Amino acid sequence: MALTEGGVKNVVLVHGAWVDGSGWQGVHDDLTARGYNVRVVQHPTASLADDVEYVKRALARLDGPAVLVGHSYGGVILSEAGNDPRVSALVYVTAFVPEAGESVLDLIADPPAGSPVPPILPPEDGFLYLDREKFPASFAADLSPEDARFMADAMPGWGVAAAEAKVSDPAWKSKPSHYLIARDDQMLAEPLQRRMAERAGMPIVEAPGSHAVYVSQPATVADLVEIAAHAGA
């Protein structure tokens, strides 16, 4: 597919917890080659309020409406920041889809039976980390061992305050929204992904892949972004 006349031309990519924006490089390069104007937000994931402001500042620097794309905890950021009038559509990539008054901790409080248990360590100074040795298998099983290890070694902390933050008015209720399910995700279980997407009434695309599906399958993500760009127009 290629960018066509009338579609939204701007895309803003929002990373989740325990990673930074560099993981979006493949999606960025794919969308740029299709003619999109792409920005990657480098937000600190310490608090939801700060992360939302980082996204809004990125939106303010664009020359028109944008598709907002979020991975994992980035879905919570989308649900809050997506109310910005410059956002035309949302794409959730194996991401959390909170209702009003819900946080990530609320959404994972009652996991579907048989769900994998993410290797989250006890908080340190207000931040959560994953077990570095278990990171590759849990987060990035479909990447090369070298790439998965680099992601583990580059892992930033995720603020407990961000995990606890509740969304006020979810943007997916008023903006066209799409969901990409990663069927082999060992961090955010496929049944929970499906439960959230179906509850929100989102069209769903499925792909085999780990929690890092946005890294391993950038074209799959870019295809869904393109669909959203035309829906948002």
Side-chain angles (χ1 to χ4, degrees):
M1 300 172 70
L3 178 63
T4 59
E5 192 69 28
V8 175
K9 69 176 183 178
N10 296 311
V11 179
V12 176
L13 304 174
V14 181
H15 67 79
W18 300 305
V19 293
D20 64 15
S22 62
W24 287 115
Q25 183 172 356
V27 175
H28 167 278
D29 293 349
D30 191 314
L31 288 170
T32 299
R34 302 185 195 205
Y36 290 91
N37 179 35
V38 184
R39 295 293 181 270
V40 181
V41 185
Q42 292 283 16
H43 48 287
T45 70
S47 77
L48 177 60
D50 283 350
D51 294 338
V52 168
E53 287 305 311
Y54 271 75
V55 172
K56 288 185 174 182
R57 283 196 289 271
L59 290 166
R61 299 180 68 191
L62 299 173
D63 60 358
V67 177
L68 205 53
V69 185
H71 169 255
S72 193
Y73 159 67
V76 180
I77 303 171
L78 258 61
S79 298
E80 197 72 56
N83 290 303
D84 189 293
R86 290 161 290 207
V87 175
S88 63
L90 306 170
V91 175
Y92 291 75
V93 180
T94 185
F96 290 99
V97 185
E99 255 287 4
E102 282 185 336
S103 67
V104 171
L105 295 187
D106 294 325
L107 288 166
I108 63 175
D110 182 26
S115 296
V117 178
I120 303 173
L121 300 173
E124 297 179 23
D125 299 322
F127 287 87
L128 298 167
Y129 297 88
L130 298 178
D131 185 315
R132 285 179 59 256
E133 296 305 316
K134 296 178 180 178
F135 183 106
S138 296
F139 198 105
D142 53 353
L143 301 185
S144 70
E146 295 78 13
D147 287 345
R149 175 54 58 193
F150 175 78
M151 290 179 72
D153 289 343
M155 173 177 43
W158 180 30
V160 173
E164 294 175 339
K166 298 179 183 295
V167 167
S168 57
D169 180 21
W172 53 262
K173 292 192 172 186
S174 59
K175 304 286 178 80
S177 302
H178 297 74
Y179 198 101
L180 173 61
I181 287 178
R183 290 197 296 264
D184 306 313
D185 196 328
Q186 298 299 300
M187 289 290 298
L188 180 51
E190 182 270 341
L192 180 54
Q193 296 176 59
R194 190 177 304 278
R195 176 195 296 174
M196 293 185 293
E198 291 179 347
R199 181 180 68 171
M202 295 182 189
I204 295 171
V205 171
E206 300 185 33
S210 75
H211 199 55
V213 67
Y214 68 109
V215 182
S216 62
Q217 298 189 51
T220 299
V221 177
D223 286 345
L224 185 54
V225 172
E226 188 142 41
I227 291 170
H230 288 86

